[in-house]
């Protein structure tokens, strides 16, 4: 199988390979952590939080053949977008809870605790009676390319990859208002939402205060 999934307007989408990872990591440092609402509003260098563990997790997803790159063919194949995605199974709910509980309480650790609580509450395996799903972990588009439909192209390409690999469901946890809106436009359904203002620590303090319009975490899902 060729790794290329199509070219449009000079932007090629292909399956990511492990050898791409150092460039992927640089790209995310410049584009993801300073743009994702919970990371960007933290005042912390979130890429440095749990960096080794995140590298291992990202590479494990790339090895599954479920991560995508968008490359500008008119600019020496420069990365202009990506998706990190991978399989999840029911036992991951307990695994994620244990991992999150053991993390330092920095921004990434707090995000992981939040997402673990939410995924346990919504339990998509029970809801859809499935034993695996494709989890779209991070979608990131270069700031200069936003608003041109590239994120939608990446999500649609990931759906095709998911179908070809036999996944019954694709899921995305959208911390950004815009990412949820984009995925809804592709036919993904919001199956759960949580207002950041309602998520508080043991002292009753709101944990995440991203700027408007990012008011909710939304779980978006689509049957493949």
């Amino acid at each position: 199988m060729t790794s290329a999934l199509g070219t449009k307007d000079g932007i090629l989408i292909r399956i990511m390979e492990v050898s791409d990872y150092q460039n992927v990591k640089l790209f995310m440092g410049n584009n993801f952590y300073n743009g994702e609402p919970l990371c960007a509003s933290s005042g912390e260098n979130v890429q440095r939080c749990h960096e080794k563990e995140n590298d291992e997790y990202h590479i494990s997803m790339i090895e599954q053949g479920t991560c995508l790159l968008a490359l500008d063919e008119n600019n020496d194949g420069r990365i202009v977008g990506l998706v990190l995605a991978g399989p999840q199974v029911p036992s991951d709910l307990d695994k994620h809870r244990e991992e999150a509980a053991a993390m330092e309480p920095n921004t990434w650790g707090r995000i992981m605790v939040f997402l673990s609580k939410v995924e346990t509450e919504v339990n998509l395996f029970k809801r859809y009676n499935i034993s695996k799903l494709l989890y779209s972990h991070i979608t990131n588009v270069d700031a200069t390319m936003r608003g041109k439909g590239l994120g939608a192209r990446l999500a649609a390409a990931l759906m095709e990859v998911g179908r070809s690999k036999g996944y019954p469901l694709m899921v995305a946890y959208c911390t950004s208002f815009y990412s949820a809106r984009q995925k809804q436009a592709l036919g993904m359904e919001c199956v759960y939402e949580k207002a950041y203002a309602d998520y508080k620590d043991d002292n009753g303090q709101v944990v995440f205060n991203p700027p408007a319009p990012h008011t909710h975490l939304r779980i978006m899902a689509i049957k493949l």
Side-chain angles (χ1 to χ4, degrees), residues 1 5-6 10-11 13 18 35 45 49 59 72 77 103-104 107 110 131 134 139-140 143 150 158 171 179 200 207:
M1 178 185 135
L5 302 171
I11 306 298
I13 292 179
V18 173
N45 182 343
C49 301
I59 288 167
D72 185 351
M103 282 184 171
E104 288 173 53
T107 299
R110 286 193 293 272
S131 58
L134 180 58
T139 302
N140 191 209
L150 182 54
L158 183 62
V171 177
S179 62
K200 298 176 182 175
V207 178

Side-chain angles (χ1 to χ4, degrees), residues 83 124 128 133-137 139 151-152 154-159 163 168-174 179-192 218-224:
V83 176
L124 295 166
Y128 289 97
L133 59 80
L134 180 58
Y135 169 61
S136 178
H137 175 52
T139 302
L154 283 163
L158 183 62
M159 288 178 198
R163 284 188 192 102
L169 191 76
M170 181 174 115
V171 177
Y173 288 48
C174 297
S179 62
R181 186 174 67 178
Q182 173 202 81
K183 287 179 169 59
Q184 197 162 14
L186 290 170
M188 297 187 77
E189 178 193 0
C190 181
V191 296
Y192 176 98
R218 292 181 174 88
I219 299 183
M220 309 298 292
I222 189 167
K223 291 180 180 175
L224 298 178

Side-chain angles (χ1 to χ4, degrees), residues 126-166:
K126 268 193 181 149
R127 185 187 193 113
Y128 289 97
N129 192 26
I130 54 175
S131 58
K132 66 174 182 176
L133 59 80
L134 180 58
Y135 169 61
S136 178
H137 175 52
I138 287 172
T139 302
N140 191 209
V141 170
D142 188 281
T144 63
M145 296 294 295
R146 286 175 197 161
K148 298 181 181 179
L150 182 54
R153 271 184 67 199
L154 283 163
L158 183 62
M159 288 178 198
E160 289 307 314
V161 170
R163 284 188 192 102
S164 74
K165 290 182 176 288

Side-chain angles (χ1 to χ4, degrees), residues 15-16 61-68 83-87 134 158 161 165 167:
I15 305 281
M16 191 185 293
M61 288 189 285
I62 297 167
E63 288 171 341
Q64 298 293 322
T66 48
C67 300
L68 306 177
V83 176
L84 291 174
L134 180 58
L158 183 62
V161 170
K165 290 182 176 288
Y167 288 96

Side-chain angles (χ1 to χ4, degrees), residues 30 33 46-47 91 102 164 166 168 187 222:
N30 293 329
Y33 295 97
V46 180
Q47 192 171 29
S91 60
S164 74
I222 189 167

Side-chain angles (χ1 to χ4, degrees):
M1 178 185 135
T2 172
S3 69
L5 302 171
T7 302
K8 184 185 170 197
D9 301 329
I11 306 298
L12 168 77
I13 292 179
R14 69 161 169 84
I15 305 281
M16 191 185 293
E17 294 166 13
V18 173
S19 58
D20 295 314
Y21 186 61
Q22 282 311 314
N23 288 333
V24 162
K25 195 172 167 182
L26 282 170
F27 177 81
M28 287 173 60
N30 293 329
N31 288 276
F32 174 69
Y33 295 97
N34 58 11
E36 187 282 321
L38 304 188
C39 295
S41 60
S42 70
E44 192 170 6
N45 182 343
V46 180
Q47 192 171 29
R48 293 277 177 266
C49 301
H50 308 286
E51 186 171 11
K52 179 173 174 285
E53 294 84 352
N54 276 331
D55 287 344
E56 288 167 1
Y57 179 45
H58 296 161
I59 288 167
S60 76
M61 288 189 285
I62 297 167
E63 288 171 341
Q64 298 293 322
T66 48
C67 300
L68 306 177
L69 275 182
L71 304 170
D72 185 351
E73 295 191 302
N74 300 322
N75 195 352
D76 295 330
R78 184 175 73 91
I79 297 174
V80 289
L82 60 83
V83 176
L84 291 174
Q88 287 195 352
V89 295
S91 60
D92 284 330
L93 296 180
D94 286 337
K95 179 171 170 266
H96 294 161
R97 188 172 65 242
E98 288 164 10
E99 287 172 350
M103 282 184 171
E104 288 173 53
N106 53 29
T107 299
W108 193 255
R110 286 193 293 272
I111 292 172
M112 290 301 102
V113 168
F114 178 46
L115 295 183
S116 171
K117 285 178 176 172
V118 165
E119 71 176 359
T120 301
E121 202 172 306
V122 74
N123 198 334
L124 295 166
F125 302 104
K126 268 193 181 149
R127 185 187 193 113
Y128 289 97
N129 192 26
I130 54 175
S131 58
K132 66 174 182 176
L133 59 80
L134 180 58
Y135 169 61
S136 178
H137 175 52
I138 287 172
T139 302
N140 191 209
V141 170
D142 188 281
T144 63
M145 296 294 295
R146 286 175 197 161
K148 298 181 181 179
L150 182 54
R153 271 184 67 199
L154 283 163
L158 183 62
M159 288 178 198
E160 289 307 314
V161 170
R163 284 188 192 102
S164 74
K165 290 182 176 288
Y167 288 96
L169 191 76
M170 181 174 115
V171 177
Y173 288 48
C174 297
T175 55
S176 155
F177 170 81
Y178 301 113
S179 62
R181 186 174 67 178
Q182 173 202 81
K183 287 179 169 59
Q184 197 162 14
L186 290 170
M188 297 187 77
E189 178 193 0
C190 181
V191 296
Y192 176 98
E193 64 176 22
K194 178 86 172 178
Y196 297 128
D198 294 338
Y199 180 64
K200 298 176 182 175
D201 64 18
D202 293 340
N203 300 318
Q205 297 292 310
V206 173
V207 178
F208 302 113
N209 287 294
H214 311 296
T215 56
H216 290 72
L217 167 75
R218 292 181 174 88
I219 299 183
M220 309 298 292
I222 189 167
K223 291 180 180 175
L224 298 178

